[in-house]
Structure formats: structure tokens, C-alpha cells
Amino acid sequence: MDTTKKTRDIESGSLELVLEEFTEEQKLHTKTVDDLVKAVNGLSGKLIELEEKMEKPKGIDILTDTRPIQEIVRKGIVDIKLMVAAQPKNVIRKFQLLLFPEQDAKLFYRVVFGRWFIWLVVMLLLNLFYKLSIHWMDNKMEIKLQQLNNDKIDKNGNYIYKYGRTREK
């Protein structure tokens, strides 16, 4: 009984300590929330003041006369138009058929001998390949015809050899 009373006292003491800590933390939280509310209220007040200032802009009291500047610019534009109109306008139409370029000859020859020459070599090789393949096919056909002719001769020779002797006897 004595031990249960001591454990209850210890538990109640520890609960009191925990509750005191929670209340301290709660006080800190409420204080920080109050500070934040005050800061937000202060900022909202400043925002309202700024909006009121923005709605009522200040008037400009300085008067500037821009007519002399406009006249100078207008005169400059008229002078530019007169200078452009006074320039001679030569229209030259050239119709040329050039075998060799007037400008960038190195580039032209690089293209000609770099690309066209390669294509020319490729075309010549294809032509040579075509001629060789036709020659090869003709030779194959000739060989087949010779073999067919030889087969006919062999068959006739065998026929004569086989049946020709039997008739003579």
C-alpha cells in the first residue's frame, strides 16, 4: 500500500512537471502569435497608406517647351529627304552567262573539283561496272549455249553408239 501511494505521488509529480512545461510552451506560442498579429496589422496599415498615395498621384508643375526641339528634328528629317532625293540613281541590269565566277574563284574550283570530280569518277566506275556485268552475262549465256550444244552432240553420239551398232549386226 505504501508503494502504491509513492508511485501515485511520483506520477502526480511528473504529471505536474509536464503540465507546467506545456503551459510555458503555450505562453511562448501565444506571445509569438500576438507579435505576428501586431506585425501583420502594422504592415496592413502601411499598405493602406501606400495605396492611398498611389491613388492620388502628384501633379507635375514643370512646364517644358518642346517646340524648338521638334522644329530641329523636323528640319533634320527634311534635310535627309532632300539628300536622298538628290543622289543619282543608277540602275544597271546585267544579264550574264558565266562559265567561271567573278568572285570566290577558289570556292568555285573547290566545289567543282571537290564534288563534281567525285561524281564524275563515280559515274565512270558505274559505267565500267555495267559494261563488265553485261560482258560477264554474255559470256555466261555463250557458255550455256555451248554446253547445250555439247549435250546434244553427246546424246546423239551416245544414241548412235548404243543403237547404231545393234542395227549393223
Side-chain angles (χ1 to χ4, degrees):
M1 178 110 172
D2 212 12
T3 57
T4 57
K5 185 177 181 186
K6 285 182 183 178
T7 56
R8 283 184 192 166
D9 288 341
I10 292 172
E11 287 178 0
S12 64
S14 63
L15 284 174
E16 284 179 16
L17 286 173
V18 169
L19 288 175
E20 285 178 10
E21 287 180 22
F22 280 137
T23 55
E24 291 290 326
E25 287 180 19
Q26 187 65 31
K27 286 178 185 177
L28 282 171
H29 288 299
T30 54
K31 185 179 177 186
T32 55
V33 168
D34 288 339
D35 290 342
L36 286 173
V37 168
K38 287 178 185 176
V40 167
N41 288 337
L43 289 174
S44 63
K46 288 181 181 179
L47 180 66
I48 291 170
E49 290 175 9
L50 183 65
E51 286 177 352
E52 289 175 359
K53 286 181 182 179
M54 295 296 283
E55 288 176 2
K56 299 176 186 175
K58 293 181 181 178
I60 299 174
D61 295 335
I62 301 171
L63 297 174
T64 56
D65 190 17
T66 59
R67 277 183 269 146
I69 296 172
Q70 288 176 353
E71 289 297 321
I72 292 170
V73 170
R74 194 172 293 128
K75 185 179 176 185
I77 291 173
V78 169
D79 289 343
I80 291 172
K81 286 181 182 177
L82 289 174
M83 284 191 294
V84 169
Q87 286 183 350
K89 296 178 182 172
N90 296 333
V91 177
I92 298 173
R93 294 187 182 181
K94 283 174 117 178
F95 295 104
Q96 294 179 343
L97 180 61
L98 296 175
L99 296 176
F100 302 103
E102 290 179 0
Q103 300 170 349
D104 293 333
K106 287 184 180 180
L107 178 66
F108 175 76
Y109 291 122
R110 189 176 301 149
V111 169
V112 168
F113 293 118
R115 293 183 187 158
W116 292 359
F117 185 70
I118 289 173
W119 281 111
L120 180 66
V121 169
V122 168
M123 295 302 278
L124 289 173
L125 288 175
L126 286 174
N127 189 12
L128 180 65
F129 177 73
Y130 176 74
K131 286 180 181 180
L132 287 175
S133 63
I134 294 294
H135 182 68
W136 181 74
M137 287 173 45
D138 287 344
N139 285 344
K140 283 288 189 184
M141 186 64 70
E142 182 100 16
I143 289 170
K144 280 186 181 182
L145 288 175
Q146 290 274 339
Q147 284 178 346
L148 287 174
N149 196 12
N150 288 343
D151 287 345
K152 280 183 184 179
I153 291 172
D154 286 344
K155 283 183 183 180
N156 288 337
N158 287 338
Y159 182 79
I160 290 173
Y161 180 75
K162 196 178 202 183
Y163 298 111
R165 283 187 158 192
T166 54
R167 288 186 186 166
E168 291 175 7
K169 291 184 183 180

